[in-house]
Amino acid sequence: MGVLLSVLNEDFGQILADPETIAALATTGSDGSVHVAFKGSFCLREDGNLEYDEVIEASQTNKNLVYSIWFGKTVSISFLAKDHRSFLVIGRPVRALVSGREFREHYVAIRGRLGDVDLSTVWIIEPVSVCEQSFEKRRTEEENAHPLFRHLDRLAVSGSGL
Amino acid sequence: MSYDRSHTGAWREKELSLRQVMEKYPEVSPFVIIKTDAQRRGVEYADRALAAVDPDIHLTKVRSDYSNKEDLTPVSLMMRDGTSICTSVDVGGNTSSGRDPYLVDVVDGKVVLVDENRVIEEVSYWEKPDFHEKETSRGTPMWHVVSVRPQRLCIHPHQHCDYWKTPGHGCKFCAMSAVYHSGNKPELLDVRDIVESVAEAIKEPGRNVNIFLTGGTLCGGENFLDDEVNYYEEILGGITKLFGGRRFPSQLISTAFSFEQLRRLYDNTGLTSYTADIEVLNKDLFAWICPGKAATIGYDEWKERLCRAVEIFGKGNVNTGLVVGVEFATPNGFENEDEALESILAEADELSSCGVGVVGCVWHVSPVSIFKKQISPGLEYYVRLAKGFDRIRRKYGINVDMDNYRRCGNHPDTDLGRI
Ligand code: SF4
């Protein structure tokens, strides 16, 4: 997984660690509805997986993550860095830590950061694909890949005399 | 081990396999199906799996109502999705209803469940809490007083049961009396020991989400069961002080108390939820399988007391547990799974209509119970019944918070309530 994330050619961990980075987690549940929520607690683990602290046990996100790990579904996480670069990670929840030493470390840490909150689950998400989605990068990539997808007025040569 | 590990083990030909059940019920969590089967068949540990146990980290010692062990096998297992598998090596040897248990082994550095030489799923061992090796001021090891699940403190104050003291009154699936007599447990725990142990246990951050009490019936007192009520009132009263007199997430599984007894418990302690296990949802089978309960309280009265408990604790805070599978015990049990399902789900629906949740425990036939030679049903039956209980709870809007995967972890049907 480390390889997957290193293709970003960026210190993705730093972007994740930056409190100004915005993360939107999109999940689906048993009824097929998509649920998107902004989340503030993604980290990159040493093994290249992502980890995410879910505070609210009965949240739709948590239910959908359970649904995903049960039935092998993927989730999408969009990250928007403060310099406006954005990244999309498609991942598969592979573990839900709900107790034990590692859970306790997260529990103590999140309460240190946020005060009197609880912690439901530390979700471990294995990236299955990663791409940079920054506007300029994506626009250039797509125009190169699909040169026919453009309006002609953009191509017309001005001052041709006709 | 003397189990038949071949692919042609006779029992395998008589019932759907794990894989077949998962394929037939793709809408049911495969984790819950695996858990159900592991609880049904039990587990045993390969040498590699035992070598992976670190007694400083993992939970190996337990003393509770149905267990009393100090060896170095893990107490039980956790799955990747946070589902607990509540299984342990039986006191008196493993029976598994004649089926070979799952093997816990280490493959590619991971602890896994193995069946027929196939890796089924990764698991991990339950971890030990901070308080476990400490002693109370009376010198009692705290693990003798409070047993644990990954997120729950379990207290079993009365480690025997008065029904076993009257010939013919013990429940036929129950191992409590045999476990009590095979060990060195006191019959009644000391209340100060309990409160001190709980006080120490709840210091641990991020560990416990529920305090659970259950024990054998105490019939005596001014009114029938007053001794049991008084004992719980004293214990819960002491624990309630640890929470400043407020209510705290807690569950009591007791004999079915009268409305007045329950009202007293609720008003005088911080208890939040209540369970009285009816064990089997069929009047005739109840009388046969739970003769003490039937003789002293009766089937209809047991149900009535559950329904009235909802007036005190509120909907979603009262339930009843079944030992799922005993309804097929011979010679009096059901002979047909469809008939059993229809009958049990109809009674569960009726109880739920008055706000009482119905939860199932997987019957792991105990080798020291009266029913030790009985055979539990196939995996598919458990899955169908779990689906039925989940559907009924959703129909009546009964949430499972009091007995869910974290607060208990023993019920496949309440695991289904996670999504
Ligand atoms: S009431 Fe029945 S199941 Fe409970 S401890 Fe007594 S004999 Fe066992």
Side-chain angles (χ1 to χ4, degrees):
Chain A
M1 287 312 109
V3 176
L4 251 188
L5 291 177
S6 69
V7 300
L8 292 167
N9 197 23
E10 292 290 341
D11 190 351
F12 193 60
Q14 274 185 2
I15 291 173
L16 259 64
D18 186 340
E20 290 188 54
T21 296
I22 296 168
L25 171 60
T27 56
T28 48
S30 50
D31 67 355
S33 306
V34 178
H35 178 82
V36 182
F38 293 102
K39 303 291 181 185
S41 57
F42 279 95
C43 290
L44 188 58
R45 292 165 70 90
E46 276 181 8
D47 61 3
N49 288 337
L50 298 175
E51 65 186 26
Y52 156 65
D53 290 345
E54 173 56 59
V55 169
I56 303 173
E57 172 76 27
S59 71
Q60 193 61 48
T61 294
N62 204 42
K63 288 180 181 173
N64 290 1
L65 285 164
V66 172
Y67 175 75
S68 301
I69 195 171
W70 278 1
F71 299 107
K73 307 290 183 195
T74 54
V75 300
S76 301
I77 313 141
S78 290
F79 296 99
L80 179 61
K82 65 182 172 208
D83 62 4
H84 298 295
R85 283 176 303 148
S86 67
F87 304 89
L88 175 69
V89 177
I90 308 289
R92 200 179 298 285
V94 290
R95 189 178 300 279
L97 297 173
V98 296
S99 97
R101 288 158 300 158
E102 192 176 351
F103 176 85
R104 173 173 160 166
E105 281 172 22
H106 283 252
Y107 179 86
V108 170
I110 200 165
R111 286 177 57 78
R113 278 204 320 277
L114 302 181
D116 186 22
V117 296
D118 215 301
L119 178 63
S120 161
T121 310
V122 180
W123 282 100
I124 312 297
I125 299 171
E126 178 184 69
V128 293
S129 72
V130 183
C131 65
E132 183 172 345
Q133 296 234 305
S134 304
F135 176 66
E136 254 330 290
K137 186 166 189 300
R138 289 290 298 124
R139 191 180 73 82
T140 308
E141 278 173 4
E142 290 301 320
E143 290 201 347
N144 288 340
H146 303 284
L148 303 185
F149 289 5
R150 62 190 70 195
H151 286 91
L152 298 182
D153 58 288
R154 291 178 57 210
L155 300 174
V157 179
S158 59
S160 65
L162 294 176
Chain B
M1 290 289 165
S2 57
Y3 303 109
D4 177 2
R5 292 208 166 283
S6 70
H7 289 253
T8 54
W11 68 270
R12 292 186 191 271
E13 287 164 17
K14 294 185 194 143
E15 55 190 64
L16 292 187
S17 68
L18 173 74
R19 183 179 290 259
Q20 286 170 322
V21 172
M22 292 203 286
E23 282 169 3
K24 189 167 177 183
Y25 298 92
E27 73 284 12
V28 179
S29 164
F31 289 87
V32 177
I33 297 175
I34 294 167
K35 166 221 187 96
T36 305
D37 211 25
Q39 293 191 177
R40 184 180 73 117
R41 287 168 49 191
V43 300
E44 63 181 13
Y45 293 88
D47 290 344
R48 278 189 298 252
L50 292 177
V53 177
D54 181 344
D56 289 333
I57 294 173
H58 301 125
L59 189 68
T60 56
K61 294 188 293 193
V62 64
R63 178 177 280 194
S64 66
D65 48 358
Y66 290 100
S67 307
N68 193 9
K69 83 175 201 69
E70 285 190 63
D71 62 29
L72 291 180
T73 54
V75 167
S76 205
L77 306 167
M78 178 85 102
M79 300 178 83
R80 286 187 298 117
D81 69 333
T83 294
S84 284
I85 299 177
C86 299
T87 184
S88 57
V89 178
D90 292 311
V91 172
N94 207 329
T95 55
S96 312
S97 279
R99 302 170 174 107
D100 45 319
Y102 283 86
L103 182 69
V104 181
D105 203 346
V106 177
V107 176
D108 296 333
K110 292 177 177 165
V111 181
V112 290
L113 279 181
V114 175
D115 190 33
E116 295 185 300
N117 297 319
R118 230 165 25 94
V119 171
I120 302 299
E121 179 54 52
E122 187 182 345
V123 289
S124 55
Y125 302 143
W126 289 3
E127 293 188 15
K128 196 161 80 166
D130 287 352
F131 77 90
H132 217 237
E133 304 293 347
K134 296 186 176 169
E135 291 184 351
T136 68
S137 59
R138 297 170 70 244
T140 310
M142 289 187 177
W143 71 270
H144 284 189
V145 181
V146 176
S147 60
V148 296
R149 287 189 182 166
Q151 299 161 87
R152 179 173 96 170
L153 300 173
C154 312
I155 303 156
H156 306 280
H158 182 208
Q159 314 221 2
H160 193 18
C161 175
D162 282 357
Y163 286 136
W164 281 110
K165 295 174 185 171
T166 302
H169 270 201
C171 298
K172 290 186 168 58
F173 54 82
C174 175
M176 184 187 267
S177 181
V179 173
Y180 171 73
H181 286 296
S182 70
N184 49 352
K185 300 195 291 185
E187 181 166 355
L188 295 167
L189 296 182
D190 181 85
V191 175
R192 280 167 306 161
D193 276 351
I194 294 173
V195 176
E196 279 181 28
S197 301
V198 172
E200 187 62 31
I202 61 176
K203 289 177 187 165
E204 182 170 347
R207 168 92 197 191
N208 305 297
V209 297
N210 196 25
I211 296 177
F212 165 86
L213 292 94
T214 194
T217 296
L218 281 165
C219 292
E222 195 178 330
N223 302 300
F224 176 62
L225 300 176
D226 266 355
D227 282 353
E228 190 176 333
V229 180
N230 294 343
Y231 191 28
Y232 284 129
E233 186 179 347
E234 190 184 350
I235 296 163
L236 281 162
I239 295 172
T240 303
K241 286 197 188 117
L242 303 174
F243 297 98
R246 290 174 299 184
R247 297 215 174 272
F248 57 96
S250 47
Q251 179 186 14
L252 171 66
I253 301 184
S254 70
T255 316
F257 294 146
S258 70
F259 184 82
E260 293 70 28
Q261 288 170 327
L262 263 188
R263 168 59 71 191
R264 174 153 63 89
L265 258 187
Y266 183 80
D267 288 346
N268 295 346
T269 73
L271 181 66
T272 50
S273 70
Y274 176 68
T275 300
D277 288 336
I278 201 161
E279 318 290 10
V280 58
L281 271 181
N282 179 282
K283 191 170 183 172
D284 293 338
L285 292 177
F286 180 79
W288 176 52
I289 296 171
C290 307
K293 293 183 179 191
T296 54
I297 296 174
Y299 189 71
D300 296 332
E301 177 64 16
W302 196 285
K303 281 181 160 180
E304 176 64 21
R305 289 182 178 200
L306 282 165
C307 290
R308 294 218 64 196
V310 178
E311 294 171 34
I312 297 171
F313 287 86
K315 182 166 125 179
N317 298 320
V318 177
N319 69 15
T320 189
L322 309 183
V323 182
V324 172
V326 295
E327 58 271 26
F328 294 102
T330 56
N332 298 327
F334 288 97
E335 291 176 359
N336 178 295
E337 289 190 0
D338 288 337
E339 277 172 26
L341 277 165
E342 192 182 338
S343 168
I344 288 167
L345 290 176
E347 293 210 30
D349 190 284
E350 182 199 338
L351 266 176
S352 301
S353 69
C354 63
V356 178
V358 177
V359 300
C361 303
V362 179
W363 182 29
H364 177 77
V365 179
S366 166
V368 291
S369 66
I370 292 174
F371 273 170
K372 62 187 171 198
K373 295 209 170 122
Q374 299 281 349
I375 307 284
S376 58
L379 174 60
E380 183 183 15
Y381 176 77
Y382 284 97
V383 171
R384 292 174 73 192
L385 202 61
K387 281 183 63 175
F389 290 155
D390 180 56
R391 177 177 47 74
I392 289 170
R393 271 193 301 270
R394 290 177 198 265
K395 173 181 168 187
Y396 290 106
I398 299 173
N399 77 46
V400 294
D401 292 358
M402 66 173 276
D403 222 346
N404 73 0
Y405 80 106
R406 303 181 92 100
R407 267 150 216 87
C408 178
N410 197 22
H411 313 294
D413 56 282
T414 69
D415 288 346
L416 299 180
R418 291 178 69 184
I419 61 171

